[in-house]
Amino acid sequence: MIQKPSIPKGTRDFGQREMAARNYIFDTVRSVFKSFGYSQIETPAMENLGTLLGKYGEEGDKLLYRILNSGDAFGAVDFEKPLAPQVCEKGLRYDLTVPFARYVVQHQGEISFPFKRFQIQPVWRADRPQKGRYREFYQCDVDAIGSKSLLCELELVQIVARVFELLDLRVCMKINNRKVLSGLAEVCGFPDKVVDITVAIDKLDKIGLEAVEEELLEKGLTAEAVEILRPVLLLEGSFEEKLAVMRSLMGASAEGQRGLDELEELFGLIRSAGVVMPCEMDLSLARGLNYYTGAIFEVKALDWQIGSICGGGRYDNLTGIFGLPDMSGVGVSFGADRIYDVLTGLGKFPDDISSGADLLFANMGRAELDYVLPIASALRGAGLSVEVYPDAAKLKKQFDYCDRKGMRFLSVCGENEVASGTVQIKNLATGEQVSFGVEDIDGMAAFVRG
Amino acid sequence: MIQKPSIPKGTRDFGQREMAARNYIFDTVRSVFKSFGYSQIETPAMENLGTLLGKYGEEGDKLLYRILNSGDAFGAVDFEKPLAPQVCEKGLRYDLTVPFARYVVQHQGEISFPFKRFQIQPVWRADRPQKGRYREFYQCDVDAIGSKSLLCELELVQIVARVFELLDLRVCMKINNRKVLSGLAEVCGFPDKVVDITVAIDKLDKIGLEAVEEELLEKGLTAEAVEILRPVLLLEGSFEEKLAVMRSLMGASAEGQRGLDELEELFGLIRSAGVVMPCEMDLSLARGLNYYTGAIFEVKALDWQIGSICGGGRYDNLTGIFGLPDMSGVGVSFGADRIYDVLTGLGKFPDDISSGADLLFANMGRAELDYVLPIASALRGAGLSVEVYPDAAKLKKQFDYCDRKGMRFLSVCGENEVASGTVQIKNLATGEQVSFGVEDIDGMAAFVRG
């Protein structure tokens, strides 16, 4: 029976072009991570379900892909009890954060802390597929764990700045601090409403001051509390001006003042290090609120409308659930799919990333191959990417192949070239054709390299 | 509840050292594949079970990891019928070959044939874990599909030779041809016993001539048939000598003579292209016999006892099951785990692949950071990998970190250096310490680069 081939909904094949574009992004972040001394790790796609369950909330548990036990999975099940837990012991990685926490605890004896690691691997989520949301996608995380120093935050800011500088994207980094948000909730008298308050403030740009204040009242805040928060909603000016307003607003909240201290120190370090990327304090940034304990980061592209393309923050108890308390860390995750979309939208991928080989030798028959094969080998040795067309097909067909694969140079070595010991190489873009002596590998390589 | 962290049996974490070693192998093969004009693709980890089932034999079907349908997988099942097929529609990739075939058929309209692709991705098998056998491991496949030219075979031989030259491993490539094996079975009168005959011949080195002949008799061959095959068992000498014996033995078998033609042409091309790696005709090579239709390849390390570290062959109907007949292709697969073991065993990994950053700046406090941070940034810009220790900890602790992470250079910038505008950098291996003016980034970079 012939099967019409397809792949599961929400998954993708990556062809030459997509791979080249994605590798361009990954190679860029990888080179930057390495230049800061971060080292790469990989963890298995399958984790024990015990490692994954309960880490992403009830909704997250439902989105985990479970793997049926091998062998006779249903052999000894009790049909009176829920079946899934009895027949599945393993699940696919849902993100890179929980496997990282597991890794740190499991390998703590071998790790030199502070541990600076990065990880670029796919994750799987049984989400409803839709435009821009996939069931298999790559995450690209960089974290430093085992130090509370704000130098770690600075390093991430520097990494983000350098990555987007290399990718030639104009971005802005928004920075908040969880302690400031807690302090705000504290000074207005509703310490348990941190999330409601932040979510409301976050809508300021979209719905305006009055609507935000209405929402705060709806969420149960008093008019006095809303009054106290108003300066936050009106906050503007330089970092120093915002900080001064917040300092006075925060008053006696020790937590809030500590958060402001951290922001002040981090912005000082950013200035010291000469970071050019614009960074701004943004108190509405609520990302991963239940999780982060200090700095919160988010990066937006300035020239393309899309959600955040990178984000993260500091967490204080990532590894606690696996038995290693008091491991403070900070990390960011680069959204490879969105960065891909922005680079595509702005036409920022370099022209040559998905090109094929540099040079094609046409196949003129067996006798000419004896002449061409050693030359092709020598040119590869000189660093070029070289193809020899496999069949002695019509030249038209060979030219088409050369063209469709985007090769820029072509060489046709026939009887005459063999007899005269020469190699003609043609630049297909300019039409320029140069003749080389068969020994002049360096000359040929230089011509193709341009 | 605190969970003791672990990973599923047969899976592995890859730390900095293992990653660096593995990336060294992958980067090497990738660079060689690209130099021959092969382009990289990736397919999803999850395939529809319909794509995978029945492709690896009954045993293979049992080794597929199945993924439980998301949502209420057991909601509508008929408990009278087998459950697994009702609750699992997807499975994890078992190899890269079947997904490649599916890819070629699904994307045939976008592909320029001959299609030269490589793919480096993990695969999963519910095999019993044991030493050197994992449930998750990387495959590294390179194939050319859509041409019957033996130039494709040659290219793979060249690729193999170049990869192991770059990895500095001495290897030998054994080459057989399925058509020759069919011819042998034909001329001895047992055309349906190709596999039995090849398996028996394969044991020659281990069990000797007599035992092989006994086995052939046990498998039902007549004494006359065994007599006919004896020259194959006694085959020795140069390629030409072996070929002459085989030509006469093969007599009127058109299939067998075609196989010998192919071997002769391929060895001629190998000579033409100047391949230095030893290649030998080996008629006992039976690898993937049910699958290959022409050339069969296997690569062995000469200085380390282990099974084959690379292998492959030509297939004529890979894509037929998905509705695209007559697509001949040829490919090889590099065994990354075994190559890793050989490189480790022979101490052939370069010394510097798993080293940390080049240089650590000690952290002497906030004031000195203002001085150090821009220097560290500039050195990264100059291409170095540079860390700044995050905490102003005791120098002993900072030195230990530097040492454990294998960094080769250290700089301690204290009050004196700041005051005098200098930077001391120490080579930890030699003890040499050099002082640079703070502006002399090029000098510092050159010293560290060595």
Side-chain angles (χ1 to χ4, degrees), chain A residues 347-386:
Chain A
K348 290 280 193 180
F349 279 115
D351 289 336
D352 58 349
I353 52 165
S354 76
S355 60
D358 301 310
L359 168 65
L360 176 73
F361 280 101
N363 186 330
M364 306 299 285
R366 184 64 186 85
E368 286 82 359
L369 278 181
D370 278 344
Y371 182 73
V372 155
L373 287 172
I375 304 170
S377 287
L379 287 171
R380 290 187 194 107
L384 294 189
S385 171
V386 179

Short mmCIF file of all heavy atoms in Angstrom, two decimals, chain A residues 347-386:
data_model
loop_
_atom_site.label_atom_id
_atom_site.label_comp_id
_atom_site.label_asym_id
_atom_site.label_seq_id
_atom_site.Cartn_x
_atom_site.Cartn_y
_atom_site.Cartn_z
N GLY A 347 14.27 41.32 6.08
CA GLY A 347 15.27 40.98 5.06
C GLY A 347 16.69 41.06 5.58
O GLY A 347 17.59 41.52 4.89
N LYS A 348 16.88 40.62 6.81
CA LYS A 348 18.19 40.79 7.45
C LYS A 348 19.08 39.55 7.40
O LYS A 348 20.17 39.56 7.96
CB LYS A 348 17.98 41.19 8.93
CG LYS A 348 17.44 42.59 9.12
CD LYS A 348 18.53 43.64 9.00
CE LYS A 348 18.02 44.99 9.50
NZ LYS A 348 19.04 46.03 9.40
N PHE A 349 18.58 38.47 6.81
CA PHE A 349 19.48 37.32 6.68
C PHE A 349 20.52 37.63 5.61
O PHE A 349 20.18 38.14 4.54
CB PHE A 349 18.69 36.06 6.28
CG PHE A 349 18.01 35.37 7.42
CD1 PHE A 349 16.62 35.30 7.49
CD2 PHE A 349 18.76 34.79 8.43
CE1 PHE A 349 16.00 34.66 8.56
CE2 PHE A 349 18.14 34.14 9.50
CZ PHE A 349 16.76 34.09 9.56
N PRO A 350 21.78 37.34 5.88
CA PRO A 350 22.80 37.57 4.85
C PRO A 350 22.46 36.78 3.58
O PRO A 350 21.88 35.69 3.66
CB PRO A 350 24.09 37.03 5.49
CG PRO A 350 23.82 37.04 6.96
CD PRO A 350 22.35 36.81 7.11
N ASP A 351 22.82 37.34 2.42
CA ASP A 351 22.45 36.72 1.14
C ASP A 351 23.04 35.33 0.96
O ASP A 351 22.43 34.48 0.32
CB ASP A 351 22.96 37.59 -0.02
CG ASP A 351 22.17 38.88 -0.12
OD1 ASP A 351 21.00 38.88 0.36
OD2 ASP A 351 22.70 39.87 -0.65
N ASP A 352 24.23 35.12 1.50
CA ASP A 352 24.96 33.92 1.10
C ASP A 352 24.77 32.74 2.05
O ASP A 352 25.37 31.70 1.86
CB ASP A 352 26.45 34.24 0.98
CG ASP A 352 27.01 34.78 2.29
OD1 ASP A 352 26.20 35.10 3.19
OD2 ASP A 352 28.24 34.88 2.41
N ILE A 353 23.89 32.86 3.06
CA ILE A 353 23.85 31.77 4.04
C ILE A 353 23.30 30.48 3.47
O ILE A 353 23.65 29.41 3.91
CB ILE A 353 23.04 32.11 5.32
CG1 ILE A 353 21.64 32.63 4.98
CG2 ILE A 353 23.77 33.05 6.21
CD1 ILE A 353 20.71 32.61 6.17
N SER A 354 22.38 30.57 2.48
CA SER A 354 21.77 29.32 2.03
C SER A 354 22.25 28.92 0.65
O SER A 354 21.65 28.09 -0.01
CB SER A 354 20.25 29.43 2.05
OG SER A 354 19.82 30.19 0.96
N SER A 355 23.35 29.51 0.21
CA SER A 355 23.82 29.15 -1.12
C SER A 355 24.39 27.73 -1.10
O SER A 355 24.75 27.20 -0.05
CB SER A 355 24.89 30.13 -1.57
OG SER A 355 25.97 30.10 -0.67
N GLY A 356 24.44 27.12 -2.26
CA GLY A 356 24.98 25.78 -2.36
C GLY A 356 26.50 25.84 -2.42
O GLY A 356 27.13 26.72 -1.86
N ALA A 357 27.08 24.85 -3.09
CA ALA A 357 28.52 24.81 -3.24
C ALA A 357 29.00 26.05 -4.00
O ALA A 357 28.22 26.74 -4.65
CB ALA A 357 28.93 23.55 -3.98
N ASP A 358 30.30 26.33 -3.93
CA ASP A 358 30.86 27.48 -4.63
C ASP A 358 30.94 27.22 -6.13
O ASP A 358 30.74 28.13 -6.93
CB ASP A 358 32.28 27.75 -4.10
CG ASP A 358 32.29 28.03 -2.62
OD1 ASP A 358 31.50 28.88 -2.17
OD2 ASP A 358 33.07 27.39 -1.89
N LEU A 359 31.24 25.99 -6.48
CA LEU A 359 31.66 25.71 -7.86
C LEU A 359 31.15 24.34 -8.31
O LEU A 359 31.23 23.37 -7.54
CB LEU A 359 33.20 25.73 -7.89
CG LEU A 359 33.93 25.20 -9.11
CD1 LEU A 359 33.63 26.07 -10.34
CD2 LEU A 359 35.45 25.18 -8.86
N LEU A 360 30.63 24.29 -9.52
CA LEU A 360 30.24 23.00 -10.11
C LEU A 360 31.16 22.67 -11.29
O LEU A 360 31.34 23.50 -12.19
CB LEU A 360 28.79 23.03 -10.61
CG LEU A 360 28.34 21.75 -11.34
CD1 LEU A 360 28.11 20.61 -10.35
CD2 LEU A 360 27.07 21.99 -12.15
N PHE A 361 31.73 21.47 -11.28
CA PHE A 361 32.39 20.96 -12.47
C PHE A 361 31.36 20.16 -13.26
O PHE A 361 30.77 19.20 -12.73
CB PHE A 361 33.56 20.05 -12.10
CG PHE A 361 34.82 20.80 -11.73
CD1 PHE A 361 35.16 20.97 -10.40
CD2 PHE A 361 35.62 21.35 -12.71
CE1 PHE A 361 36.30 21.67 -10.05
CE2 PHE A 361 36.77 22.05 -12.37
CZ PHE A 361 37.12 22.22 -11.04
N ALA A 362 31.15 20.55 -14.51
CA ALA A 362 30.26 19.79 -15.36
C ALA A 362 30.87 18.41 -15.62
O ALA A 362 32.09 18.23 -15.53
CB ALA A 362 30.03 20.52 -16.67
N ASN A 363 30.01 17.44 -15.88
CA ASN A 363 30.47 16.07 -16.15
C ASN A 363 30.43 15.84 -17.67
O ASN A 363 29.37 15.78 -18.28
CB ASN A 363 29.54 15.10 -15.43
CG ASN A 363 30.02 13.66 -15.52
OD1 ASN A 363 30.66 13.27 -16.49
ND2 ASN A 363 29.70 12.88 -14.49
N MET A 364 31.62 15.75 -18.28
CA MET A 364 31.71 15.61 -19.74
C MET A 364 32.02 14.18 -20.15
O MET A 364 32.30 13.92 -21.33
CB MET A 364 32.79 16.56 -20.28
CG MET A 364 32.61 18.01 -19.87
SD MET A 364 31.05 18.71 -20.47
CE MET A 364 31.47 18.93 -22.21
N GLY A 365 31.99 13.27 -19.19
CA GLY A 365 32.25 11.86 -19.53
C GLY A 365 33.42 11.31 -18.74
O GLY A 365 34.13 12.04 -18.05
N ARG A 366 33.58 10.00 -18.84
CA ARG A 366 34.55 9.28 -18.00
C ARG A 366 35.98 9.77 -18.18
O ARG A 366 36.70 9.93 -17.19
CB ARG A 366 34.45 7.78 -18.32
CG ARG A 366 35.33 6.89 -17.45
CD ARG A 366 34.90 6.95 -16.00
NE ARG A 366 35.83 6.21 -15.12
CZ ARG A 366 36.94 6.73 -14.62
NH1 ARG A 366 37.29 7.96 -14.90
NH2 ARG A 366 37.71 6.00 -13.83
N ALA A 367 36.40 10.02 -19.43
CA ALA A 367 37.79 10.42 -19.68
C ALA A 367 38.08 11.75 -19.00
O ALA A 367 39.10 11.91 -18.33
CB ALA A 367 38.05 10.52 -21.18
N GLU A 368 37.16 12.71 -19.14
CA GLU A 368 37.36 14.03 -18.54
C GLU A 368 37.34 13.97 -17.00
O GLU A 368 37.96 14.78 -16.34
CB GLU A 368 36.30 15.02 -19.04
CG GLU A 368 36.50 15.49 -20.47
CD GLU A 368 35.98 14.51 -21.51
OE1 GLU A 368 35.48 13.43 -21.10
OE2 GLU A 368 36.08 14.80 -22.71
N LEU A 369 36.61 12.98 -16.46
CA LEU A 369 36.55 12.85 -15.00
C LEU A 369 37.94 12.61 -14.41
O LEU A 369 38.28 13.14 -13.35
CB LEU A 369 35.63 11.70 -14.59
CG LEU A 369 34.13 12.00 -14.57
CD1 LEU A 369 33.37 10.77 -14.13
CD2 LEU A 369 33.82 13.18 -13.65
N ASP A 370 38.73 11.80 -15.11
CA ASP A 370 40.10 11.54 -14.63
C ASP A 370 40.87 12.85 -14.46
O ASP A 370 41.73 12.96 -13.60
CB ASP A 370 40.85 10.65 -15.64
CG ASP A 370 40.49 9.19 -15.45
OD1 ASP A 370 39.93 8.85 -14.39
OD2 ASP A 370 40.77 8.40 -16.37
N TYR A 371 40.53 13.81 -15.30
CA TYR A 371 41.19 15.12 -15.27
C TYR A 371 40.62 15.99 -14.15
O TYR A 371 41.35 16.66 -13.41
CB TYR A 371 40.98 15.78 -16.63
CG TYR A 371 41.64 17.12 -16.83
CD1 TYR A 371 43.02 17.22 -17.00
CD2 TYR A 371 40.88 18.29 -16.87
CE1 TYR A 371 43.62 18.45 -17.19
CE2 TYR A 371 41.47 19.52 -17.06
CZ TYR A 371 42.85 19.60 -17.22
OH TYR A 371 43.43 20.82 -17.42
N VAL A 372 39.29 15.93 -14.01
CA VAL A 372 38.58 16.87 -13.14
C VAL A 372 38.63 16.46 -11.66
O VAL A 372 38.75 17.31 -10.77
CB VAL A 372 37.11 16.99 -13.61
CG1 VAL A 372 36.19 17.40 -12.48
CG2 VAL A 372 37.00 17.94 -14.80
N LEU A 373 38.53 15.15 -11.39
CA LEU A 373 38.39 14.71 -9.99
C LEU A 373 39.54 15.18 -9.08
O LEU A 373 39.27 15.69 -7.99
CB LEU A 373 38.24 13.19 -9.93
CG LEU A 373 36.88 12.66 -10.39
CD1 LEU A 373 36.89 11.13 -10.47
CD2 LEU A 373 35.76 13.13 -9.47
N PRO A 374 40.81 15.05 -9.50
CA PRO A 374 41.88 15.52 -8.61
C PRO A 374 41.85 17.03 -8.40
O PRO A 374 42.19 17.52 -7.33
CB PRO A 374 43.16 15.09 -9.33
CG PRO A 374 42.74 14.04 -10.30
CD PRO A 374 41.33 14.38 -10.70
N ILE A 375 41.40 17.77 -9.43
CA ILE A 375 41.31 19.23 -9.28
C ILE A 375 40.23 19.57 -8.26
O ILE A 375 40.43 20.41 -7.37
CB ILE A 375 40.98 19.90 -10.64
CG1 ILE A 375 42.02 19.52 -11.70
CG2 ILE A 375 40.89 21.41 -10.49
CD1 ILE A 375 41.64 19.93 -13.11
N ALA A 376 39.08 18.89 -8.37
CA ALA A 376 37.99 19.14 -7.41
C ALA A 376 38.46 18.85 -6.00
O ALA A 376 38.20 19.61 -5.07
CB ALA A 376 36.78 18.29 -7.77
N SER A 377 39.19 17.74 -5.82
CA SER A 377 39.70 17.38 -4.49
C SER A 377 40.63 18.46 -3.95
O SER A 377 40.55 18.85 -2.79
CB SER A 377 40.47 16.06 -4.54
OG SER A 377 39.58 14.99 -4.68
N ALA A 378 41.53 18.91 -4.82
CA ALA A 378 42.50 19.91 -4.38
C ALA A 378 41.81 21.21 -3.99
O ALA A 378 42.18 21.86 -3.01
CB ALA A 378 43.51 20.17 -5.50
N LEU A 379 40.76 21.59 -4.74
CA LEU A 379 40.04 22.82 -4.41
C LEU A 379 39.29 22.68 -3.08
O LEU A 379 39.19 23.63 -2.31
CB LEU A 379 39.08 23.20 -5.54
CG LEU A 379 39.76 23.75 -6.80
CD1 LEU A 379 38.75 23.89 -7.94
CD2 LEU A 379 40.41 25.11 -6.51
N ARG A 380 38.75 21.49 -2.82
CA ARG A 380 38.14 21.28 -1.50
C ARG A 380 39.18 21.40 -0.41
O ARG A 380 38.94 22.00 0.63
CB ARG A 380 37.48 19.90 -1.44
CG ARG A 380 36.24 19.79 -2.31
CD ARG A 380 35.52 18.46 -2.09
NE ARG A 380 34.55 18.26 -3.16
CZ ARG A 380 34.69 17.37 -4.15
NH1 ARG A 380 35.74 16.56 -4.18
NH2 ARG A 380 33.76 17.27 -5.07
N GLY A 381 40.35 20.84 -0.66
CA GLY A 381 41.45 20.96 0.31
C GLY A 381 41.81 22.41 0.56
O GLY A 381 42.23 22.78 1.65
N ALA A 382 41.60 23.25 -0.46
CA ALA A 382 41.89 24.68 -0.31
C ALA A 382 40.72 25.42 0.34
O ALA A 382 40.73 26.64 0.43
CB ALA A 382 42.20 25.29 -1.68
N GLY A 383 39.69 24.67 0.76
CA GLY A 383 38.62 25.29 1.54
C GLY A 383 37.36 25.61 0.76
O GLY A 383 36.40 26.13 1.33
N LEU A 384 37.32 25.29 -0.54
CA LEU A 384 36.10 25.56 -1.30
C LEU A 384 35.11 24.40 -1.17
O LEU A 384 35.48 23.27 -0.85
CB LEU A 384 36.42 25.74 -2.79
CG LEU A 384 37.26 26.94 -3.21
CD1 LEU A 384 37.27 27.03 -4.73
CD2 LEU A 384 36.70 28.23 -2.62
N SER A 385 33.85 24.71 -1.45
CA SER A 385 32.83 23.69 -1.56
C SER A 385 32.61 23.43 -3.05
O SER A 385 32.26 24.34 -3.79
CB SER A 385 31.55 24.18 -0.89
OG SER A 385 30.49 23.31 -1.16
N VAL A 386 32.86 22.20 -3.46
CA VAL A 386 32.90 21.88 -4.88
C VAL A 386 32.06 20.66 -5.20
O VAL A 386 32.15 19.64 -4.53
CB VAL A 386 34.36 21.61 -5.33
CG1 VAL A 386 34.41 21.25 -6.81
CG2 VAL A 386 35.25 22.80 -5.03
#
